[in-house]
Amino acid sequence: MHPNHLRALAAALATLASAVTLSAVQPAITMTPFGTLRDGRAAQLYTLANSHGAKVAITNYGGIVTRILVPDRDGNLADIALGYDTLAAYEKDGATTGTYFGALIGRYGNRIARGQFTLDGKTFKLAANNTPGGIPCALHGGKVGFDKVLWDAAPLVEKDAAGLRLRHLSKDGEEGYPGNLDVTVTYWLTDKNELRIEYLATTDKATPVNLTNHSYFNLRGEGSGTILDHVLTLNASRYTPVDKGLIPTGQLAPVAGTPFDFTKPHAIGGRIETQNEQLLFGGGYDHNWLIDRGSAKSRALVKAAEVYEPVTGRVLEVLTEEPAVQFYCGNFLDGKNAGKSKIAYKKRTGLCLETQHSPDSPNQPAFPSTILRPGERYETATVYRFSAR
Ligand code: GLA
């Protein structure tokens, strides 16, 4: 064949190939069965893909993010979210260990002292499902929190994002909380390699609401060792010290001069063994930092955290409308939970950055209020942005 013809043919083939690739890489969502719950109801697994090949898998059981596939600095994808490969393993979790891998957390994310609060003169009792330091408290919504309910799900596809809208009606009195709470959470995987989570709730009686997501990240890939060499920056000059039951003392303490100062990047393991009462209580980092929001408006996304993993170059940025973030470095992981790759998740092999209001806010009048009243809308968003350098 004449070289000119060959070149023309090659060009035509290249155009065809790019057209095929283009049409194959639009944001998309697929649904596959994820198994059956003990009560016989079927759960689904939704896989969101963006046009760069990043993927996020979410089940409507607990709104759990089961997989997050994002590239390293050489473009290699790895699953950086801790989790299980079966629905049964998620359903069983919590009976003993309570990892809350990837789950939506509500009605109240984090702890409420003694499992009770008083609202408009009435005292509400919650299940005390957690006992750090031997002291009972309510944790993450109770015995059957939002991590253990089957959400209604609707897939969404936009030009530059694939999404999943989840809905749950939390009944008046459920887990001891007042009011019918209508909750909608929408996950988006955008073409900017962001996992965006939008929370919306309305109620017919005043109730505390504090929703979050409990994903554990290991930016080298789940099952590849500890996160102690991940480098963390927190845009926070204050945190809420806790008592030995992990309940805030009420103090908003400066981080300056303490191992809690991540205003400049620090390896997570760098100061974790320091003799420090707070690190002792938490068994490591398991605390709530108040994000320096400056003059940002309440519904503005402000950068709360950045995590850098030196081997793969992966970066996670966390942006949120929330006032605080719980940084928990997986201190309670004990190797009893074998994950997706059948590798046991040992202590500190994943880290959480749970955006939220501070723990025990319903009992802490000085903290920003978490009370939602009839006629109001609870609306907030958080973005987990992935990149590499
Ligand atoms: C939260 C808490 C931790 C722990 C985990 C779940 O992040 O802050 O103390 O209970 O959930 O294991």
Side-chain angles (χ1 to χ4, degrees), residues 314-386:
R314 286 198 186 87
V315 176
L316 162 64
E317 291 165 88
V318 183
L319 299 96
T320 188
E321 297 177 12
E322 286 300 292
V325 61
Q326 182 83 6
F327 163 49
Y328 166 60
C329 67
N331 308 303
F332 293 118
L333 296 175
D334 57 7
K336 286 187 190 140
N337 308 79
K340 287 169 278 191
S341 43
K342 303 288 172 238
I343 297 168
Y345 293 131
K346 295 198 181 129
K347 187 172 176 176
R348 300 179 181 154
T349 54
L351 68 97
C352 301
L353 289 159
E354 309 152 46
T355 56
Q356 56 190 235
H357 278 56
S358 294
D360 200 32
S361 293
N363 294 310
Q364 301 266 0
F367 289 3
S369 172
T370 50
I371 305 303
L372 181 72
R373 293 183 182 276
E376 295 174 349
R377 278 159 76 85
Y378 172 95
E379 247 184 312
T380 186
T382 288
V383 171
Y384 293 97
R385 183 187 291 153
F386 303 98

Side-chain angles (χ1 to χ4, degrees), residues 141-286:
K143 287 187 176 149
V144 184
F146 292 179
D147 58 301
K148 291 264 180 278
V149 303
L150 195 64
W151 295 66
D152 293 329
L156 306 162
V157 180
E158 303 247 308
K159 192 165 61 66
D160 50 7
L164 184 68
R165 182 153 291 154
L166 298 170
R167 190 157 178 215
H168 171 59
L169 179 67
S170 170
K171 299 259 172 61
D172 188 5
E174 185 177 300
E175 290 296 326
Y177 289 97
N180 290 294
L181 188 73
D182 192 345
V183 188
T184 303
V185 178
T186 310
Y187 283 107
W188 293 103
L189 174 62
T190 75
D191 276 348
K192 293 179 182 153
N193 282 3
E194 296 166 334
L195 175 62
R196 180 181 165 90
I197 314 177
E198 297 165 354
Y199 303 87
L200 171 67
T202 55
T203 186
D204 57 7
K205 283 182 194 165
T207 178
V209 185
N210 195 26
L211 306 181
T212 192
N213 174 277
H214 209 295
S215 286
Y216 288 67
F217 304 98
N218 184 323
L219 298 183
R220 218 161 34 240
E222 59 90 22
S224 61
T226 76
I227 44 72
L228 293 172
D229 53 358
H230 285 44
V231 179
L232 173 69
T233 315
L234 291 173
N235 174 27
S237 46
R238 292 172 307 162
Y239 78 118
T240 58
V242 289
D243 61 21
K244 63 179 181 193
L246 300 186
I247 299 296
T249 58
Q251 206 195 343
L252 308 178
V255 294
T258 77
F260 292 81
D261 188 353
F262 284 94
T263 53
K264 300 255 165 10
H266 280 279
I268 291 170
R271 299 162 296 172
I272 204 165
E273 301 301 342
T274 312
Q275 281 306 311
N276 174 288
E277 189 178 58
Q278 286 299 314
L279 286 172
L280 195 71
F281 287 164
Y285 296 108
D286 189 0

